[in-house]
Amino acid sequence: MDDDLSTRLPDAFPGPLPGQLLDRLRAGLPDGSVLTDPQVTASYASDMAGFCEAGTPAAVVLPRTVEEVQHVLRTATALRVPVVPQGARTGLSGAANASDGCVVLSLVKMDRILEISAVDRIAVVEPGVVNAVLSRAVADRGLYYPPDPSSWEQCTIGGNIGTASGGLCCVKYGVTAEYVLGLDVVLADGRLLRTGRRTAKGVAGYDLTRLFVGSEGSLGVVVRAVLALRPAPPRQLALAAEFPSVAAACEAVCAVMEAGLSPSLLELMDRTTVRAVNALGRMGLPETTEALLLAAFDTPHAPDELAAVARLCTAAGATAVVPAEDEAESELLLQARRTALPALERLRPATMIDDVCVPRSRLADLLDGTAAIARTHDLLIGVCAHAGDGNTHPVVCFDPADEDETRRARASFDAIMALGLSLGGTITGEHGVGVLKKEWLARELGPVGLEMQRAVKAAFDPLGLLNPGKLF
């Protein structure tokens, strides 16, 4: 693969004269909904992914209603202008990056929780609702919305749906796709499509709802979502286990899953990550450990289940197992895990965050292989992982001002993805493809799979106006 860190976007669409586009947009939108100040629009040009090229948008539009979104899409289709849907721009793959001359469609103002039903166990929300806001709102009703990306205090439900987000709880509760029952989607030509259902069951027709989850805004713009809820579980109790090697910690992970236990969280941090977390927040984690495993249960029998995990960790070679004494101490352990990525970002001027997922049985092979890649390329690479579902986040830390180190960083990033595929894994477990991994998506899908994906894209967006240059 090319060592150049910039991932190219397609050439700008020819488009209309700017004045014509802006006049037609403003004709159907309230005052203040269309932003054109270059300093303002530049702040909407990209998400949080590094080294993914972003274009210059012609305008940023902030709709508040479904009808306003339809107006934007009809205008864009009539004038052949690309549209890039955005949420909070917390993504890590460049999926929300602008292309030259596009309309950025920011959905953050569509932030209403429309319904919470304890009987049907659903919530109906607009795409700009922040994950944490929804989680707290349903908790007040004795309910639980499980998906919890690390950026849950900022990321939006629409963005979570677009990238099929995961989080710390996936080992027990699964990812965003498993909680999206139905969607309202504005298509490229402005038509409104309703998919899915509100009912507990439903198998009528093709599952178009799942098709939109993870599509990164390339098939349509989600304007409303029906989400499944669960009864609120008891508060989590956690433990931390220290291991002399990453391999031993991975052995414990496999033992926990093989024993039929269902932890609500099973997370791993390597030595580099533990030290970074301590440096950031003075968490008091054991810096002598080579790997720290965090396990939690949210059941009435959590102490007994944690004791079973402790025994399995000890049998796998843990040098210490420390249960949290109460819910507050458990929360501190979980907070330490949530700060892993910000902590690693402080070690060097820049990072590249990988998102490789492998079968649990190959987790040790991936982590040992990543350590070998770090040695080969003489780089600092910290790993935090949703170990219970095999989803790892190797974080390559480097200085972009150092040309050779930058080249080695990109080479190591690609080597980790190649390793993950060789172990029967996937290039992304929850961050999406965007522009960062589009070349690797083609490798994972193969020529027939890529052809079918492009055919689906053409069926929904024949002019190629929705989020061009992403995925493939």
Side-chain angles (χ1 to χ4, degrees), residues 50-67:
F51 306 103
C52 295
E53 185 173 318
T56 301
V60 173
V61 178
L62 298 163
R64 292 180 181 271
T65 69
V66 173
E67 292 74 20

Side-chain angles (χ1 to χ4, degrees), residues 211 214-216 218 417 420-422 424-428 432-434 437-457 470-472:
L211 185 61
S215 65
E216 301 184 12
S218 65
M417 283 191 287
L421 289 179
S422 74
T426 176
I427 60 168
T428 176
V433 175
K437 295 188 174 185
K438 57 190 293 185
E439 294 178 61
W440 282 97
L441 179 65
R443 297 190 188 194
E444 179 171 334
L445 295 178
V448 176
L450 190 61
E451 179 184 352
M452 293 297 100
Q453 299 254 339
R454 286 174 170 160
V456 171
K457 165 71 170 172
K470 314 299 167 50
L471 292 169
F472 38 75

